[in-house]
Amino acid sequence: MLKYITVIKYLAVSFIQLIVGFISIPIITHLMPPAELGKFGLMMGVSVILIPLISLCAESYLPVAKSKSKHFPDIKKSIYVLSFVLFLFFFGVTFFFIIDKSVSWLLLLLPLFCWVRAIRVAQQSELIYDEKVSVFGVSNIGLSVLTLFFSVVFLKYINNDSYSRLFAMALAEFLVLILCMKHVQSIKSSNFDFSEMKLIFKFSFPLLLSLFPAWVINEYGKVFVSDNGSLVLVGILTVSLQISAFQLQINAAVNNSFLKIIYSDIDKMYSIKLFGSIILILLFTTSIGAFFIYVLGEKLVSAEYEGFVSITMILFIGVFFQSTASVPALYANHIGKTSWRLYSLCLGALVSIVLLHFFIDLSQSLKQVSYVYALSMAVYFITLLIMTFTFHVKKNNFAKPFSFKS
């Protein structure tokens, strides 16, 4: 019963965050023209790669390390020190890119934003494992409110371009990072440990390799639409993906509430009661979100973003499969088989590339890119589920495919 109370708490937090997110959609789309929102979407596509590269996928590793290792503070400090070094490296790369391409110096905000978000997400993963739902909730809701507030101020009174939006998000991330630091385990008395780095790299390396296929599935569609359409269409896709991201946050709340239960006894994860409960709750929350968009979606954005409702509904199918894939991904993380996530993502990315370049109608690129995303996520989920469940059955020598343990 307690686990379902935890689910309700996380869902309540995500629901409030969702409300703020939906309020922000019409405001941002009225303040930013579609072309600028398209540029912002492309920058966010780059951030999807940079954030896990800078953090070494710390948000996935820290809960596992905390559940297994007595040297958790040393592990965390080692990750944070190395992440700062990686941030400096990418800051330098961006600096020389600006000189070479003669773009705005404000692009230096991008690696800074990525580093701050990487550390903030890593700290929140620790809050989730410790089941500090209240602090997690305040930080997430605060992030949404601060991002909206700073975005309105900067877009309205400074400039309505993509850099103003990026600066607003970076500032909000920094303030929430400070809040989170007060509620996670301190690293003041810890040491940088090279021996721990070997374990971190062993865990993270397949996930870092997974960044490219994950980027192909999640972000390449924007580039494809930009090349075969326009930045206006990219802006519409960006809005749809942003709304899908809100739904993904709600679904992540479901997975977060079961994280400690799963990691405390990994063999229970594929019991009918636990696994079935998670899938059914994810199906329910995604259906509610899709219904809400279907009924009220057109009222959220300006007329310039015509057609985004149908695109969002298709993307929600992919969101469901991406959310359900998080369950076998937790299993793979815990047993140290992160390479399985790489193999599954590669197969999904291969399906995406083949479909985009050989089978879609370019006159309907926006809608068909959305279908490709949904199908690729389904392939990722099914492949990872087969790998982890097969291992689970062999490990436990089950005569039947599922255990009825709760």
Side-chain angles (χ1 to χ4, degrees):
M1 184 65 185
L2 288 176
K3 62 187 175 186
Y4 295 109
I5 293 176
T6 305
V7 172
I8 293 172
K9 288 179 180 179
Y10 275 111
L11 286 176
V13 169
S14 296
F15 181 72
I16 297 173
Q17 193 176 5
L18 182 66
I19 292 174
V20 178
F22 277 122
I23 292 173
S24 71
I25 292 292
I27 296 174
I28 300 301
T29 53
H30 279 82
L31 290 174
M32 290 181 72
E36 283 298 323
L37 198 54
K39 292 178 184 177
F40 175 75
L42 293 175
M43 286 195 288
M44 290 299 98
V46 174
S47 74
V48 169
I49 294 288
L50 285 185
I51 290 171
L53 277 176
I54 289 173
S55 70
L56 294 176
C57 301
E59 75 283 356
S60 295
Y61 186 69
L62 289 181
V64 176
K66 197 161 192 176
S67 68
K68 292 183 174 182
S69 178
K70 298 178 181 179
H71 306 289
F72 178 72
D74 293 343
I75 294 172
K76 188 163 74 166
K77 185 168 187 174
S78 301
I79 290 176
Y80 286 178
V81 169
L82 188 55
S83 71
F84 183 70
V85 174
L86 290 169
F87 156 68
L88 293 177
F89 170 76
F90 287 112
F91 191 85
V93 170
T94 308
F95 178 84
F96 288 109
F97 176 82
I98 290 171
I99 294 176
D100 182 56
K101 301 296 181 180
S102 299
V103 298
S104 173
W105 287 99
L106 290 173
L107 189 61
L108 288 172
L109 287 170
L110 183 58
L112 179 62
F113 161 77
C114 292
W115 177 59
V116 175
R117 170 167 282 192
I119 301 302
R120 188 268 301 172
V121 171
Q123 290 187 338
Q124 284 192 320
S125 71
E126 190 178 343
L127 293 175
I128 291 167
Y129 180 82
D130 292 336
E131 295 188 335
K132 295 182 178 179
V133 183
S134 298
V135 181
F136 176 82
V138 170
S139 63
N140 258 15
I141 295 169
L143 179 64
S144 298
V145 173
L146 288 172
T147 299
L148 176 59
F149 172 75
F150 290 135
S151 294
V152 170
V153 172
F154 295 159
L155 291 171
K156 190 171 184 179
Y157 298 106
I158 299 178
N159 201 332
N160 66 341
D161 64 2
S162 54
Y163 294 114
S164 294
R165 173 76 165 149
L166 181 62
F167 184 50
M169 292 182 65
L171 182 57
E173 291 279 356
F174 177 71
L175 294 176
V176 172
L177 173 62
I178 293 175
L179 169 66
C180 292
M181 287 176 64
K182 298 179 179 180
H183 297 277
V184 295
Q185 192 167 345
S186 174
I187 57 174
K188 289 182 179 179
S189 59
S190 59
N191 299 303
F192 182 88
D193 191 338
F194 281 102
S195 62
E196 293 292 347
M197 294 309 302
K198 294 179 183 178
L199 297 175
I200 294 168
F201 277 114
K202 183 179 179 181
F203 177 92
S204 301
F205 185 68
L207 297 182
L208 294 175
L209 292 179
S210 301
L211 292 179
F212 178 71
W215 181 87
V216 170
I217 297 173
N218 287 286
E219 303 293 333
Y220 180 66
K222 295 177 188 175
V223 178
F224 187 86
V225 171
S226 176
D227 291 342
N228 296 281
S230 66
L231 280 175
V232 172
L233 292 179
V234 177
I236 296 172
L237 181 60
T238 299
V239 174
S240 296
L241 287 170
Q242 186 172 350
I243 292 177
S244 300
F246 293 145
Q247 183 62 48
L248 199 59
Q249 288 174 347
I250 288 181
N251 292 357
V254 176
N255 292 327
N256 290 342
S257 62
F258 287 97
L259 186 144
K260 193 164 187 175
I261 297 171
I262 292 172
Y263 278 0
S264 63
D265 188 353
I266 194 67
D267 289 331
K268 286 185 177 181
M269 199 196 81
Y270 278 124
S271 67
I272 288 180
K273 185 174 181 180
L274 181 56
F275 185 76
S277 296
I278 297 173
I279 299 301
L280 287 175
I281 294 172
L282 288 173
L283 180 61
F284 174 76
T285 54
T286 305
S287 300
I288 292 297
F291 177 77
F292 182 81
I293 292 298
Y294 181 77
V295 174
L296 300 175
E298 292 183 356
K299 300 177 182 178
L300 292 175
V301 300
S302 67
E304 294 177 287
Y305 296 85
E306 181 182 359
F308 99 99
V309 171
S310 60
I311 300 302
T312 306
M313 296 293 288
I314 299 168
L315 293 176
F316 266 41
I317 300 172
V319 165
F320 170 73
F321 285 115
Q322 185 174 356
S323 302
T324 52
S326 297
V327 183
L330 288 176
Y331 189 96
N333 289 348
H334 192 272
I335 64 174
K337 298 290 185 180
T338 50
S339 58
W340 292 351
R341 295 175 62 180
L342 171 62
Y343 304 148
S344 303
L345 283 168
C346 283
L347 184 58
L350 180 62
V351 169
S352 178
I353 291 174
V354 171
L355 291 177
L356 287 176
H357 287 279
F358 296 102
F359 291 97
I360 78 166
D361 179 3
L362 294 180
S363 64
Q364 298 290 324
S365 62
L366 190 57
K367 179 171 288 188
Q368 295 198 14
V369 160
S370 304
Y371 278 120
V372 169
Y373 162 77
L375 181 59
S376 299
M377 279 299 175
V379 171
Y380 166 54
F381 164 65
I382 293 170
T383 305
L384 187 57
L385 179 64
I386 291 172
M387 287 181 172
T388 54
F389 184 64
T390 301
F391 178 89
H392 172 72
V393 171
K394 290 181 178 178
K395 176 187 174 185
N396 293 279
N397 297 315
F398 287 156
K400 297 181 179 180
F402 279 94
S403 163
F404 284 87
K405 297 176 183 178
S406 62

